Amino acid sequence: AISQATREHFLRTFPHFPGERVRVVSPCSRFRDASVPGRMPKAVAACEPGRFWLTVGTVEPRKNQERLVEAYARYLALGGEAMPLVVAGGKGWLMDGFAERLSRMGLAGRVILTGYVSDDELVWLYRHCFANLYPSLFEGFGLPVLEGMQFGAATVASSSSAIPEVAGVDGQTLLRAL
């Protein structure tokens, strides 16, 4: 299993499988050199470095970008600084109307959908974002949390599934902090 949370989920799903046969072998970041500067994606050319929010992942329901966008809209409505929200990731399942929803919410110019970005561009985004936001509802691991921290991004993540484990914080500590 790629995390303790995944191991536990597997054993709950298959309760008759012998637990001693399931070991945790966590992945690591695919980025070997944390000193590389990366390259700015064209989609964010108008963004000032350090002045945009970032979320990374395929745009799909379990990644929870819809709720993140709702929170972003509330943040703006309450007078939060109008830094753009950059959504870096390809289109996934059940999200065909996501861009249209942004338009209806009046966020089309404030939320930047980059689509898929190269590794070099992803490094730049992590290095230059104000914060890396990861609101996913369920993850086997959660590489964007690990990668964001690797490149110095302040990282705010949900407390579901394996995410606290990847962030190095147990779920109960996160809940008490909130």
Side-chain angles (χ1 to χ4, degrees):
I2 60 175
S3 66
Q4 186 62 33
T6 300
R7 179 185 185 278
E8 291 168 7
H9 179 77
F10 176 82
L11 293 173
R12 278 192 311 275
T13 305
F14 302 100
H16 301 295
F17 195 88
E20 65 275 4
R21 292 187 59 199
V22 183
R23 301 229 187 320
V24 175
V25 179
S26 298
C28 62
S29 171
R30 66 185 174 271
F31 299 106
R32 293 178 148 207
D33 184 358
S35 68
V36 297
R39 180 174 44 90
M40 178 191 286
K42 290 178 184 171
V44 299
C47 292
E48 183 182 337
R51 309 303 309 155
F52 63 92
W53 303 98
L54 173 66
T55 188
V56 175
T58 303
V59 180
E60 63 184 39
R62 78 176 170 91
K63 298 293 186 178
N64 210 18
Q65 290 101 338
E66 284 190 330
R67 184 163 293 159
L68 177 60
V69 167
E70 290 169 6
Y72 177 66
R74 284 194 306 270
Y75 161 81
L76 293 173
L78 292 170
E81 187 176 344
M83 293 186 287
L85 171 61
V86 174
V87 180
K91 185 174 142 187
W93 56 282
L94 296 177
M95 298 295 279
D96 290 334
F98 188 62
E100 294 159 10
R101 184 161 188 231
L102 295 174
S103 291
R104 284 193 309 274
M105 295 174 75
L107 297 174
R110 296 177 182 228
V111 177
I112 300 167
L113 303 174
T114 67
Y116 176 81
V117 294
S118 70
D119 283 355
D120 205 31
E121 292 169 324
L122 186 57
V123 168
W124 189 93
L125 290 168
Y126 284 135
R127 286 196 172 288
H128 294 93
C129 68
F130 179 77
N132 173 32
L133 310 174
Y134 201 67
S136 182
L137 298 171
F138 187 85
E139 290 296 325
F141 190 75
L143 275 172
V145 173
L146 180 69
E147 292 170 351
M149 292 187 305
Q150 176 183 4
F151 290 105
T155 300
V156 179
S158 65
S159 61
S160 70
S161 54
I163 296 169
E165 188 179 338
V166 174
V169 180
D170 70 78
Q172 291 305 310
T173 301
L174 278 176
L175 291 174
R176 283 192 303 271
L178 297 175

